[in-house]
Amino acid sequence: MNCCNTSEHAVVILTGAGGGIGRAIAVKLASAGMKLVLLGGNNLEKLEITRQEVEKFSSCLVLPGDLTDTAFLADGVRKAHQHFGAIDVVINNAGVAQNTAFENVSIEEYDRIMAINARAPFFLIRNALPFLKSSDRATIINIASVVAHAGYPQQSVYTASKHALLGFTRSIAREYYRDNIRVHAICPGGVYTDMVKISRPDLTPEGMIMPEEIADIVYFFLANRGNAVIDEICVHRVNKEPFLI
């Protein structure tokens, strides 16, 4: 199938759009004619930058708020559908990293990481599901991590959350295949984003994946929507250890 038949003018809900991978995805999809709903986040300055970039190409609705609040997720989905009249794609990109020794992880840190990385995607998709079932191009893309297949020191909760996200993705991919909903997971290795700069200040962009490369993969899924139950792609540079996200 070509992209004009499968993705042009699709309505996309995207989390974590304030920068990095999320902003790159938003701009890439907008440049292909898709309409964007930037859901969640409270850094209005960063969201505004993304909105301006998106609106160079397409329509954009910004709905800032707390992704850990299930009422916000439900209201966001309702407003997205009310504004654009459809929901065709959900992309769970928002994530929180970790650089804490296992024995020092607090209950608060555990709850926050699991809530954003695993719980929010679960309930966002559940709220969007009735609208996705009505779409002829329904697609869910969850941005997981290479740590969904491995584990690194001082990333115990982050690793657990991404394992949870990948397992959840695999399950619903098969559960909703016959409803014509395609579900994909992308598991990047080292992507040079602000989150990585904070968590791993010792890393440099040389040899790392750039956010635009992940955006290209997302676009490929949407422009070439096929019959796969799940397409799970792990991406990392062969000359670098894939430390984080």
Side-chain angles (χ1 to χ4, degrees):
M1 298 180 183
N2 72 43
C3 66
C4 293
N5 291 332
T6 58
S7 64
E8 189 176 6
H9 307 307
V11 177
V12 181
I13 293 181
L14 170 66
T15 68
I21 295 173
R23 182 175 293 161
I25 291 172
V27 174
K28 178 71 177 183
L29 300 189
S31 69
M34 302 183 211
K35 302 170 185 176
L36 272 295
V37 179
L38 311 183
L39 183 68
N42 291 308
N43 191 321
L44 301 184
E45 183 177 347
K46 287 186 174 182
L47 287 171
E48 176 60 18
I49 293 171
T50 304
R51 183 192 66 78
Q52 291 178 9
E53 291 296 311
V54 166
E55 289 187 342
K56 292 176 182 178
F57 306 102
S58 187
S59 302
C60 183
L61 175 64
V62 180
L63 298 173
D66 183 3
L67 291 173
T68 69
D69 181 355
T70 52
F72 167 74
L73 296 176
D75 190 53
V77 169
R78 180 186 63 79
K79 288 178 178 176
H81 186 267
Q82 185 178 52
H83 186 82
F84 284 120
I87 296 173
D88 301 297
V89 179
V90 174
I91 302 174
N92 286 293
N93 169 70
V96 180
Q98 176 202 3
N99 189 18
T100 309
F102 170 70
E103 61 197 89
N104 295 329
V105 174
S106 67
I107 294 174
E108 292 76 17
E109 183 177 24
Y110 178 93
D111 287 344
R112 176 171 172 266
I113 292 171
M114 293 299 292
I116 294 175
N117 294 0
R119 187 172 181 266
F122 187 101
F123 287 103
L124 175 56
I125 292 169
R126 200 171 79 171
N127 280 288
L129 192 60
F131 304 114
L132 292 171
K133 285 182 176 181
S134 300
S135 172
D136 62 358
R137 48 192 168 184
T139 307
I140 297 166
I141 299 176
N142 291 328
I143 308 298
S145 168
V146 70
V147 303
H149 297 273
Y152 297 100
Q154 298 186 311
Q155 295 180 27
S156 55
V157 187
Y158 180 71
T159 299
S161 71
K162 292 300 185 177
H163 272 73
L165 180 61
L166 182 57
F168 161 60
T169 303
R170 288 170 167 165
S171 179
I172 62 170
R174 288 158 178 81
E175 188 168 348
Y176 292 101
Y177 173 72
R178 296 193 182 280
D179 290 293
N180 199 33
I181 299 173
R182 299 293 173 263
V183 185
H184 312 289
I186 300 175
C187 300
V191 182
Y192 198 65
T193 64
D194 289 341
M195 185 168 72
V196 168
K197 292 175 190 176
I198 293 170
S199 299
R200 291 295 306 271
D202 56 307
L203 297 180
T204 62
E206 289 75 22
M208 296 188 71
I209 302 162
M210 300 309 291
E212 291 75 17
E213 296 178 83
I214 303 302
D216 287 343
I217 296 171
V218 170
Y219 175 73
F220 176 84
F221 278 142
L222 299 179
N224 300 275
R225 189 177 182 280
N227 292 319
V229 175
I230 179 172
D231 297 305
E232 180 191 327
I233 291 185
C234 294
V235 189
H236 63 86
R237 294 298 190 204
V238 295
N239 62 334
K240 288 286 260 186
E241 182 181 352
F243 293 100
L244 180 67
I245 195 168

